[in-house]
Amino acid sequence: MKPEAAYDELIRRSREETLLASCADVLEWDEETCLPRGGVAYRSEQLALLAGLLHDRGADPRLGELLDLLEASFLSADPESAAAVNIREIRRAYERERRLPRRLVEEIARVTALAQQAWADARDAGEYERFRPWLERIVRLAREEAEAVGYTDTPYDALLEDYEPGVTTREVARLFEDLRRELVPLVQAASPSGRRRTAVLRREYPVDRQRLFAEAVAAAIGFDLDRGRIDTAAHPFCTALGPGDCRITTRFAARDFPGGFFTVLHEVGHALYEQGLDSAHYGTPMGEPASLGLHESQSRLWENLVGRSAGFWRQFFPRARAVFHEALHDVKQDAFVAALNQVEPSLIRIGADEVTYNLHILIRFELEQALLADDLRPADLPEAWNSAYRATLGLTPANDRDGCLQDGHWGEGLIGYFPTYTLGNVYAAQLFAAAGRAIGDLDAQFGRGDFSGLLGWLREQVHAHGRRLTAARLIARATGAPPDWRPLVESLRTRYGESVGL
């Protein structure tokens, strides 16, 4: 077979697999947003069947034959060409998939579909015991997956590799050591010590108006609502169902304006990445995000570096005061921005300020490593969680809802995902600084309502590359330096530490 014909067959198979995967994604979106409770058990069987079919395709020996031929051909000569990238990344996925038994793949899909509903019920009730049996099953399945895939140092590496290729548990642990050393003093110095300014954010913000305001802001910064939509769910997420169908979810509460608004900005950041991928490459690695950490860099950048900036609110605070007149009629813009940026240790990750956020991720990183290594039994998770919060943030959850049940990730089987949030913060700080150097005063542009310069720069430097480069190489090429935690700490010190002499 000629290389050209082999490559055409490889790409056809890749696009068919993506099409089938998108059917599973639709079912998962439906389960999270509007599936009747009585349909969950049957949905788990649907998803298990689709997972098995996807596994059969992804592990088909024919893929190995095509890849062997193509890796020895001229199509792999230029490592950054679209063909070479697709060959390399399909090989990586194939090698992982063929190590996994179909039985395991189906069971993971089945159990996590059921576990998500169990988690939502347990969270609503604030009763961890309702979810514990499911977490025990998920941890066992995660261990089995790690053993099947293989690893050099620790089972956690096998799971982390699926989200952030090339990054090891040891590297992430060193990153958290550096951040803990730098952030704990900054948290202590920047915390309010009685000068609380956040009461204005707990006034009454009608949910229907929050949704309209958030949709208007999302559109203003670049989210294409003709190719996407916003819905509500127990756990916010973003999913791309096709090149013209990117969906995000959020949750609103009448007395928690930032909780809903910044969740929308976070998920819109994900969606902007998905909508910025080259649709001509859809269904191939060149049309997919480079890593979950890079994906999180986009959400954290728009949520925090844009959404908490003074320039952003010079543009949107007058609109917010008009929409939420009862809550904001007596509030000045500077006071509102200060409230949004107050550093204050809290229990809930998605509502955490920028300075404390990575400490929330550190706790989860250490706990899920312990679960995977069997150093922590799922039955003991609530106390371990509470103990970690007392030691790290000086707070103790009053209930499981605000403690170990607050995130849906483990119910979805996403053990190994949490570190990508902190990697995203590291990448975001570097990207934002580089964008400012390249296109000028970003805060002034935001104040004029112009977000096109930043979005255009991200489209060119990040989104358009698909999986051409690893996250580390992409960051180095876009910013002129390899991934480094220091720009993140410098950014936090500049924006939060000056007032306290740091």
Side-chain angles (χ1 to χ4, degrees):
M1 175 181 280
K2 291 184 177 180
E4 295 90 343
Y7 184 71
D8 287 344
E9 181 179 346
L10 184 75
I11 296 306
R12 175 182 61 77
R13 286 170 169 267
S14 177
R15 287 187 162 138
E16 287 177 351
E17 188 174 339
T18 300
L19 188 62
L20 184 60
S22 72
C23 297
D25 291 338
V26 172
L27 293 180
E28 289 174 350
W29 173 86
D30 177 75
E31 180 183 4
E32 294 274 4
T33 57
C34 54
L35 180 69
R37 290 179 57 84
V40 173
Y42 190 68
R43 180 57 46 86
S44 74
E45 296 301 325
Q46 292 173 314
L47 290 170
L49 175 62
L50 286 171
L53 294 173
L54 283 165
H55 172 73
D56 289 347
R57 285 177 168 269
D60 188 340
R62 176 59 177 166
L63 279 180
E65 296 171 1
L66 293 171
L67 290 166
D68 288 343
L69 188 158
L70 290 167
E71 286 165 343
S73 78
F74 70 92
L75 289 170
S76 294
D78 177 2
E80 292 190 12
S81 69
V85 170
N86 287 334
I87 293 165
R88 181 192 72 221
E89 292 300 310
I90 292 172
R91 166 67 79 179
R92 188 176 72 84
Y94 170 71
E95 291 301 325
R96 185 181 184 91
E97 199 68 38
R98 72 185 186 89
R99 291 182 172 94
L100 294 169
R102 176 173 176 157
R103 170 199 56 77
L104 176 60
V105 171
E106 290 180 330
E107 185 66 4
I108 289 172
R110 181 181 295 110
V111 168
T112 54
L114 295 168
Q116 288 175 61
Q117 184 61 58
W119 165 78
D121 291 345
R123 179 180 176 274
D124 288 344
E127 296 177 5
Y128 172 72
E129 279 301 305
R130 294 191 183 190
F131 179 60
R132 178 186 54 77
W134 293 99
L135 182 59
E136 290 172 345
R137 294 177 68 178
I138 286 168
V139 169
R140 286 197 298 268
L141 290 169
R143 289 177 189 147
E144 190 174 348
E145 179 182 356
E147 293 300 324
V149 171
Y151 53 88
T152 301
D153 190 12
T154 171
Y156 196 84
D157 282 336
L159 305 182
L160 180 61
E161 172 71 17
D162 200 32
Y163 303 114
E164 198 65 17
V167 174
T168 67
T169 307
R170 188 172 299 177
E171 289 170 330
V172 173
R174 284 200 300 268
L175 168 63
F176 278 120
E177 288 174 9
D178 291 329
L179 290 177
R180 192 203 305 260
R181 182 184 65 249
E182 299 292 333
L183 294 180
V184 169
L186 183 55
V187 171
Q188 293 170 345
S191 293
S193 300
R195 49 185 202 281
R196 297 178 184 275
R197 299 167 294 196
T198 58
V200 65
L201 305 176
R202 311 303 170 193
R203 294 178 177 179
E204 184 78 17
Y205 293 83
V207 167
D208 58 341
R209 297 188 205 174
Q210 285 191 55
R211 181 185 177 91
L212 291 172
F213 180 72
E215 285 185 348
V217 172
I221 65 176
F223 181 49
D224 186 350
L225 286 162
D226 287 333
R227 297 192 298 138
R229 58 179 289 131
I230 302 174
D231 294 282
T232 57
H235 187 76
F237 65 96
C238 171
T239 185
L241 304 180
D245 187 357
C246 184
R247 306 186 188 189
I248 68 175
T249 69
T250 187
R251 58 186 187 222
F252 297 107
R255 293 192 176 274
D256 182 13
F257 172 78
F261 182 75
F262 284 112
T263 296
V264 170
L265 284 188
H266 181 95
E267 301 304 338
V268 163
H270 283 304
L272 291 175
Y273 192 176
E274 294 288 347
Q275 291 185 338
L277 295 167
D278 189 342
S279 60
H281 289 295
Y282 189 79
T284 75
M286 274 296 295
E288 298 172 354
S291 76
L292 265 295
L294 202 62
H295 224 311
E296 291 298 340
S297 79
Q298 303 305 283
S299 59
R300 297 295 288 169
L301 185 152
W302 287 97
E303 175 189 357
N304 292 319
L305 297 172
V306 178
R308 297 183 189 273
S309 68
F312 180 90
W313 288 106
R314 281 198 302 275
Q315 174 64 209
F316 289 113
F317 182 72
R319 304 190 202 181
R321 187 155 52 185
V323 173
F324 307 108
H325 180 73
E326 296 86 350
L328 296 176
H329 71 278
D330 61 344
V331 179
K332 294 183 178 179
Q333 179 177 308
D334 289 348
F336 184 75
V337 174
L340 292 174
N341 286 283
Q342 181 159 300
V343 177
E344 183 175 6
S346 62
L347 293 169
I348 308 300
R349 173 187 64 85
I350 65 171
D353 59 80
E354 288 183 84
V355 181
T356 62
Y357 185 89
N358 293 301
L359 300 177
H360 289 262
I361 302 303
L362 166 62
I363 291 169
R364 288 153 174 79
F365 171 62
E366 293 181 341
L367 289 174
E368 63 183 12
Q369 283 186 89
L371 286 167
L372 196 65
D374 205 19
D375 294 331
L376 172 64
R377 298 186 309 155
D380 298 328
L381 177 63
E383 180 50 40
W385 182 287
N386 294 351
S387 177
Y389 265 78
R390 282 194 298 270
T392 306
L393 290 165
L395 301 170
T396 303
N399 53 61
D400 292 339
R401 177 186 172 91
D402 291 342
C404 62
L405 287 175
Q406 65 180 268
D407 298 305
H409 296 63
W410 291 336
E412 295 179 59
L414 301 180
I415 296 175
Y417 188 118
F418 277 118
T420 67
Y421 288 107
T422 290
L423 291 168
N425 285 331
V426 170
Y427 301 157
Q430 287 183 259
L431 289 169
F432 193 76
R437 293 192 297 270
I439 62 178
D441 188 341
L442 292 174
D443 198 66
Q445 294 173 38
F446 302 160
R448 297 193 298 269
D450 181 6
F451 302 93
S452 61
L454 175 60
L455 181 56
W457 188 88
L458 292 170
R459 291 271 196 255
E460 179 181 347
Q461 299 295 328
V462 178
H463 306 171
H465 290 286
R467 292 196 172 185
R468 176 177 286 118
L469 307 171
T470 64
R473 288 186 61 208
L474 189 149
I475 292 298
R477 185 170 295 185
T479 71
D484 185 355
W485 56 266
R486 292 172 184 84
L488 170 61
V489 172
E490 180 181 348
S491 172
L492 294 174
R493 284 179 175 273
T494 298
R495 289 179 293 125
Y496 294 95
E498 288 179 346
S499 63
V500 292
L502 291 176

